[in-house]
Amino acid sequence: MLYEDMPDEWKEWLDLTPIQRFRESEKLFAQYLAMGGSLDPDPDPTSPFYDEDEWRPGAAYGRAGLRVLRRGAS
Amino acid sequence: MFYGAAQVSKDIDLVLFPDSTNYKNLETALQSLGAKRIAVPPFSPAVLERGHAVHFRCSAPGVEHLRVDVMSKLRDLPDFAALWDRRTVIADEAGEEFHLLSIPDLVAAKKTQRMKDWPIIELLVAIHYRENADRPRPPWIDFWLADARTPELLEKLVQRFPDQARKLSSGRPLLSMAGSGNFEAVREALDAEVRAEQAKDRAYWAPLKAELEAFRHDERRNP
């Protein structure tokens, strides 16, 4: 994809400096955690590190992540 | 994230120079984060040197559940000293420094069997080109031609740098067709590149996965 073809939101993100991106990511993460989001990585069966027993959601390390409460019409 | 191709992986990957002092320093840092190893393999310089990654989960306030993955050797990448020489350093307003794999090295590290890594490669190259297109350096031109992953960007690059494209086409045959306007054929060739690279990654990991299984077996017998 060329920059010119990217959605405006992506362009705005890319126009930030690296440190500005880092700061914005910190804000997003704080918000994500405040909403109950979990830092548990999503299971990725295509990863060589994936082990079903160790990464099962809701197991020893797990806690509730975000869940969909409402989906938009589109 | 710093480079613009954000991926919500919710973990931090550290590449460690595996000497004993550095290893001890990292152990101390991990302790301050309340980090516990959560999976095989065990944490030792020898294990890292074999190409494994060691996984931790933090428990200190503010970083609860954060995953930290430590490695010192990456498939098809040079040793730590070369990666360190080529690193990118970004500093914040307070002078805190972040030492990152260079974008070409990060792209090489992301050529894995995991599907989610490939769109990130596409973005990293596109962003690097966009940020440096006005002052192209020879190694960057080679990087763009070797790693661009969309027909549109490839066409632009081949038309702009025809000599370098011809020179590199023996190593990347799709460069020969990238300027033809036949985007469908280029897409098919790009897909074939992904499949070939995924096969290489699976072959690299096959013996290491067998070792991981042996580590698991050992830990279950001797918890």
Side-chain angles (χ1 to χ4, degrees), chain B residues 54-191:
Chain B
V54 184
H55 314 280
F56 296 88
R57 187 179 306 272
C58 303
S59 61
V63 289
E64 298 98 333
H65 294 261
L66 179 68
R67 264 272 302 278
V68 177
D69 294 341
V70 179
M71 56 208 86
S72 62
K73 197 172 154 189
L74 302 164
R75 179 177 73 84
D76 282 353
L77 280 159
D79 64 12
F80 183 90
L83 298 177
W84 185 253
D85 281 346
R86 303 197 296 229
R87 75 195 185 281
T88 300
V89 182
I90 292 170
D92 70 7
E93 308 82 356
E96 185 85 33
E97 290 184 353
F98 301 86
H99 295 252
L100 314 172
L101 278 181
S102 69
I103 289 185
D105 286 334
L106 181 58
V107 163
K110 285 201 164 290
K111 291 181 180 174
T112 71
Q113 57 196 283
R114 301 185 307 179
M115 286 310 296
K116 67 179 186 181
D117 284 329
W118 291 89
I120 301 299
I121 293 177
E122 179 184 323
L123 272 177
L124 285 168
V125 180
I127 293 167
H128 192 270
Y129 177 69
R130 187 236 163 191
E131 291 181 345
N132 298 287
D134 292 343
R135 47 185 192 291
R137 294 184 191 167
W140 292 350
I141 298 169
D142 287 356
F143 164 59
W144 299 331
L145 287 165
D147 286 303
R149 301 217 52 81
T150 61
E152 295 82 2
L153 180 54
L154 279 161
E155 180 178 61
K156 186 178 254 195
L157 290 167
V158 166
Q159 288 173 353
R160 185 173 171 194
F161 307 109
D163 294 340
Q164 292 93 328
R166 257 192 305 280
K167 199 178 70 186
L168 294 176
S169 62
S170 59
R172 196 181 195 197
L174 66 77
L175 290 175
S176 305
M177 65 173 97
S180 68
N182 187 348
F183 284 2
E184 203 44 51
V186 177
R187 270 189 205 101
E188 282 175 21
L190 286 164
D191 289 344

Side-chain angles (χ1 to χ4, degrees), chain A residues 1 3-4 13-15 18-19 21 23 25 32 38-42 44 46 49 51 54-55 61, chain B residues 1-4 10 38 57 64-65 67 91-93 113-114 122 126-127 130-131 150 156 205 216:
Chain A
M1 184 183 289
Y3 176 79
E4 306 84 71
W13 178 253
L14 296 185
D15 290 341
I19 283 296
R21 289 179 203 136
R23 297 293 177 228
S25 296
Y32 168 76
S38 165
L39 288 177
D40 287 313
D42 301 321
D44 178 5
T46 66
F49 308 140
D51 178 67
E54 281 154 359
W55 306 115
Y61 319 111
Chain B
M1 177 201 312
F2 280 107
Y3 290 141
K10 300 190 285 188
I38 52 167
R57 187 179 306 272
E64 298 98 333
H65 294 261
R67 264 272 302 278
D92 70 7
E93 308 82 356
Q113 57 196 283
R114 301 185 307 179
E122 179 184 323
I127 293 167
R130 187 236 163 191
E131 291 181 345
T150 61
K156 186 178 254 195
W205 277 100
R216 274 187 203 110

Side-chain angles (χ1 to χ4, degrees), chain A residues 1-64:
Chain A
M1 184 183 289
L2 299 172
Y3 176 79
E4 306 84 71
D5 302 325
M6 290 180 180
D8 288 344
E9 275 189 345
W10 290 25
K11 288 181 184 169
E12 283 173 28
W13 178 253
L14 296 185
D15 290 341
L16 300 176
T17 66
I19 283 296
Q20 285 172 327
R21 289 179 203 136
F22 182 59
R23 297 293 177 228
E24 290 303 312
S25 296
E26 282 185 315
K27 288 183 209 164
L28 286 171
F29 250 98
Q31 198 165 4
Y32 168 76
L33 293 173
M35 292 167 71
S38 165
L39 288 177
D40 287 313
D42 301 321
D44 178 5
T46 66
S47 165
F49 308 140
Y50 177 73
D51 178 67
E52 197 175 359
D53 294 335
E54 281 154 359
W55 306 115
R56 195 174 60 246
Y61 319 111
R63 61 177 180 142

